[in-house]
Amino acid sequence: MKPFRPLSSVEQLAGYLREEIRQGGLGGRLPGINRLAASLGCSANTVHAAMKQLEREGFLLAQGAGRCSRTALPQGSAPALRVKILLYERQDAKVDYISDLRHRLQEAGHSAGFATKSLLDLGMDAGRVAGFVAGTEADAWIVVAGSRTVLEWFAEQSVPAFALFGRQPNVPIAGTGPYMLHAVVAAVRRLAALGHSRIVCLTREERRKPGPGLFERAFLEELRKQGIAVGPYNLPDWEDNPEGFHRGLKSLFGSTPPTAIIADGVELFLATQQFFLQEGIRVPNDVSMVCSVPHPAFAWSIPSIAHMEFDSGVWVRNVERWVSGVANGKNIRRKHFNNATFSEGGTVGPAKA
C-alpha cells in the first residue's frame, strides 16, 4: 500500500484538469478563469493556482495578460515514463520533498517509484549500481546524493539520469540542489566570532572520500581564513553506520572535545544530540551545534536550532521540468542550484573557556 497523502483543493483541481487534457476533454483554448470557476463550482483563486501548476508542468501555455491559456499536451503527445528514484538510503523515501516529488510525477501520469535498493545497499559502488540498473526497467533515473563515480557512470549511459544533490559539479549530468558555500562560510565566521577554534564538521563518507566535497572544502578554507589550524580533526573519519558514528563521537570527545559542531544532515544532528544527552554535554553551554539542513521539527525546539535554510520546492519543480523534457525527447543536462542561507539559533553560543 502506498502512503496516503491528502491533496489540497488546488492539487485536486490540477489533477482533474490534467486528466481532462490527457483524455481530450479539454483542448485548444481554455475558458477564462471566472467562467471556468463557475462551471467547476470553485473559487477563481483555486482555478488560477491550479492553472499555474499546469503551466509549470507543461500542460498549459500562457497567452499573456487578459488572454485564455491553451492546452499544450493533448492526449498522446508525450508518453508516460517509467521513472525510478535511486535513494541514498531507504529511509529517504520518508523525506517530505522526495515523497512529494514521487507523487507529483505520478500525478503527471508517469510511473514513478523508488528503486528496490538504495545507493548504500549497493555500497555506493558504480559496478554494483551498473548491475542493478541493468536488471531494472526504467526510462529515466533520479539519483539521490550519488558519489562522483556513480554519477559519472550514469552520465555515460543512454538512459537519461538526473542528480538530486550529490557530487555532481563538473559531471555532465542534469541536476539540482542547494548552493551551500555562502551558508557554511557564514556559519564558520559566526562561530569564530564567538571564540570557537575547535570546530568540527560531521559528514557522510562519500562527502569525505576520495577527497572533501565543495561544502567540506569551503568549511576547511574558511577555518584557514579565520586563522584556525586545519587537519583531520576538523573533518573526522568514521565508519559509516550508527555504531561507527557513536564510536567516532566517543573518540572525538575523549581527547580534544570540539566547542562547535556542524552536522551534515538531520540524522547526524539528532544522533549527536542523543550522544550529548548520554554524556551530559550541554548545548550550547559546552558545545555549539549547527545543522546543515532545515527540518519542520526545528520550529518546536527550544532553544531554536541553528541551521542552513533553503527552498526544497525548487528542486521538485526542477526535476518535474526535466522529466517532462525527457518525455518529449529532450535530455537537457543543465544544473539548477538555489542559494542556502545560515539561520542562527539558540544552539549557537560563545565558546566555553
Side-chain angles (χ1 to χ4, degrees):
M1 179 183 296
K2 67 181 183 180
F4 171 73
R5 184 175 73 97
L7 301 179
S8 68
S9 57
V10 172
E11 290 173 319
Q12 292 181 57
L13 179 57
Y16 169 78
L17 294 175
R18 189 187 300 111
E19 195 60 28
E20 285 294 301
I21 292 172
R22 280 207 192 96
Q23 296 181 2
L26 283 175
R29 193 182 298 274
L30 291 185
I33 289 178
N34 291 333
R35 182 179 167 190
L36 196 55
S39 66
L40 295 170
C42 55
S43 72
N45 287 339
T46 300
V47 172
H48 181 264
M51 291 175 67
K52 284 296 181 183
Q53 180 174 325
L54 294 180
E55 285 176 16
R56 291 194 297 268
E57 296 173 5
F59 283 89
L60 292 178
L61 293 176
Q63 302 298 299
R67 302 181 65 183
C68 298
S69 298
R70 299 186 68 88
T71 57
L73 293 176
Q75 183 182 15
S77 65
L81 300 180
R82 296 167 298 177
V83 182
K84 287 297 181 184
I85 304 173
L86 181 56
L87 300 170
Y88 172 74
E89 53 190 346
R90 296 194 185 197
Q91 52 262 44
D92 287 341
K94 299 176 183 178
V95 175
D96 55 356
Y97 52 82
I98 292 180
S99 176
D100 184 48
L101 170 61
R102 179 193 181 197
H103 287 295
R104 294 277 288 267
L105 293 175
Q106 289 174 337
E107 289 164 3
H110 303 292
S111 175
F114 300 122
T116 56
K117 291 187 178 180
S118 70
L119 287 172
L120 288 191
D121 292 335
L122 298 166
M124 198 64 78
D125 180 87
R128 292 177 64 186
V129 169
F132 176 71
V133 169
T136 305
E137 293 186 352
D139 302 308
W141 286 87
I142 299 166
V143 185
V144 181
S147 67
R148 183 177 180 85
T149 54
V150 166
L151 294 181
E152 285 175 338
W153 180 85
F154 271 104
E156 294 171 355
Q157 308 311 305
S158 58
V159 177
F162 189 99
L164 183 57
F165 326 132
R167 302 285 293 266
Q168 55 177 293
N170 302 319
V171 178
I173 189 172
T176 193
Y179 184 76
M180 302 291 293
L181 303 193
H182 298 314
V184 69
V185 166
V188 172
R189 286 179 180 173
R190 180 57 180 153
L191 291 170
L194 290 168
H196 294 276
S197 59
R198 299 198 304 272
I199 308 173
V200 168
C201 181
L202 300 173
T203 188
R204 302 296 287 265
E205 185 174 30
E206 69 280 352
R207 300 295 312 171
R208 307 187 307 267
K209 299 176 180 179
L214 287 178
F215 178 90
E216 292 74 20
R217 293 205 302 270
F219 164 73
L220 297 172
E221 181 58 29
E222 188 56 32
L223 289 180
R224 294 188 185 96
K225 289 181 179 179
Q226 296 298 325
I228 299 172
V230 170
Y233 171 84
N234 305 102
L235 195 65
D237 194 21
W238 46 277
E239 189 178 349
D240 205 311
N241 56 56
E243 295 77 16
F245 182 64
H246 280 264
R247 284 195 298 269
L249 287 175
K250 195 79 172 177
S251 174
L252 188 64
F253 279 85
S255 53
T256 308
T259 62
I261 283 181
I262 298 176
D264 187 20
V266 174
E267 71 281 7
L268 299 187
F269 184 88
L270 295 178
T272 304
Q273 279 193 321
Q274 184 186 43
F275 171 81
F276 288 167
L277 286 172
Q278 294 170 348
E279 299 295 321
I281 298 171
R282 300 168 302 164
V283 177
N285 307 67
D286 300 320
V287 59
S288 290
M289 288 192 72
V290 177
C291 187
S292 69
V293 297
H295 192 276
F298 290 174
W300 288 84
S301 300
I302 298 176
S304 58
I305 307 296
H307 64 277
M308 298 173 195
E309 188 75 44
F310 40 71
D311 180 8
S312 59
V314 172
W315 313 332
V316 174
R317 294 191 292 272
N318 287 338
V319 177
E320 282 186 290
R321 282 195 291 267
W322 177 80
V323 171
S324 177
V326 171
N328 284 283
K330 301 175 183 178
N331 180 19
I332 300 175
R333 302 190 178 196
R334 185 178 299 140
K335 303 182 195 299
H336 298 271
F337 299 100
N338 57 328
N339 283 322
T341 57
F342 173 55
S343 178
E344 186 173 347
T347 54
V348 166
K352 187 176 181 180

